[in-house]
Amino acid sequence: MQDFPLYFELGWQHILDWKGYDHILFVAALCGIYSLKDWRKVLILVTAFTVGHTVTLALSIFDRIGVPAAITEFLIPVTIILTALYNIINREQRSAYFSFKYIMALLFGLIHGMGFSNYLKSLLGTSNNIVAELLAFNLGLEAGQVAIVVTVLLLTYAIIHMLKVPRGKWSVILSTIIFGVAFYMAAERLTSFIHQ
C-alpha cells in the first residue's frame, strides 16, 4: 500500500489531463442535463461509469480481454457523441430516462476502461501488488471525475441563475458543443484507423 498515493495521483492526473480531454468531455456530457440540485443523480451516474471502466481495466490488466487500441480510441468519442445526442433529445431531463442513462454510463464505462488499460499496463509492468494499485488508480480517476462534475454543475448554476439562460437551452448548447468536438475527434480517429 506504500504506492497507493502514487497510483491515486496517477489516476487523478490521467482523468484531468487536457491531452486526453475525451474523458473530460464524456463526464461533462454525462452531467450536461443536470443542475446543482441533482448532484446525487450525477454522482450515481459517474459511479456507474467508474464501475464500468474498473471492470474492463481489471480484465485487461489480467489479460482476460484484449481489444485493439485503434478500435477503443474510435469508440470513446462515439460514446461521447451518443451521450451528447441523448442530452439534446432529452433536454428536459424526464425522470423515466434516468435508469437508461445509468445503464448507458455503465456500458460506456466498459469502453473507456479499455482506453485506460494500455496506459495503466505500462505503469504497472511486473508489479506484485496489482490489485491495490488498480484500486488506487480507480479511486484517483473517480476523484478527478467528481472534480469535473463539480465544475460543470457550478458552471451550469452560474449560467442558469446569473445569466438567466433557461436550463433546457443551456443543456442543448453544452451538449451541441461537446457533440461537435467528439464528432471531429471520431472522424479523425476513424481516418487514422483506416490508414493503419
Side-chain angles (χ1 to χ4, degrees):
M1 291 299 280
Q2 62 188 13
D3 290 334
F4 190 94
L6 170 68
Y7 281 90
F8 181 92
E9 187 178 347
L10 287 169
W12 166 271
Q13 289 174 348
H14 188 65
I15 194 74
L16 296 175
D17 183 3
W18 284 106
K19 294 175 193 164
Y21 62 93
D22 46 0
H23 304 303
I24 296 172
L25 281 178
F26 181 78
V27 175
L30 204 57
C31 57
I33 60 172
Y34 298 102
S35 62
L36 203 51
K37 67 181 173 63
D38 301 314
W39 67 269
R40 286 184 187 90
K41 290 181 180 179
V42 179
L43 199 57
I44 292 170
L45 282 171
V46 170
T47 302
F49 175 63
T50 300
V51 168
H53 68 62
T54 300
V55 168
T56 47
L57 257 177
L59 290 173
S60 178
I61 296 289
F62 293 110
D63 292 322
R64 297 289 182 249
I65 58 167
V67 178
I71 293 173
T72 303
E73 289 305 310
F74 170 70
L75 288 177
I76 287 172
V78 171
T79 65
I80 301 166
I81 289 168
L82 293 174
T83 305
L85 194 59
Y86 175 87
N87 289 348
I88 293 166
I89 293 166
N90 186 37
R91 62 182 158 263
E92 296 305 323
Q93 189 212 330
R94 296 180 196 98
S95 58
Y97 292 106
F98 181 70
S99 58
F100 173 75
K101 196 161 186 183
Y102 182 87
I103 292 165
M104 188 172 72
L106 182 68
L107 294 175
F108 290 172
L110 295 171
I111 294 169
H112 284 250
M114 288 184 282
F116 291 135
S117 67
N118 289 333
Y119 171 75
L120 188 56
K121 266 185 178 180
S122 67
L123 290 174
L124 291 173
T126 57
S127 173
N128 295 326
N129 203 14
I130 289 176
V131 174
E133 290 161 355
L134 182 62
L135 174 66
F137 185 80
N138 275 297
L139 289 174
L141 285 173
E142 179 76 352
Q145 289 170 175
V146 169
I148 296 165
V149 166
V150 168
T151 302
V152 173
L153 292 182
L154 288 174
L155 177 66
T156 297
Y157 180 85
I159 287 172
I160 291 171
H161 295 284
M162 296 175 181
L163 299 179
K164 306 298 181 192
V165 175
R167 178 172 156 169
K169 187 174 183 179
W170 166 243
S171 175
V172 170
I173 291 167
L174 178 63
S175 298
T176 301
I177 291 167
I178 292 171
F179 179 93
V181 173
F183 189 85
Y184 176 78
M185 190 186 310
E188 193 175 56
R189 291 180 182 183
L190 182 61
T191 304
S192 298
F193 176 63
I194 290 170
H195 289 99
Q196 275 189 343

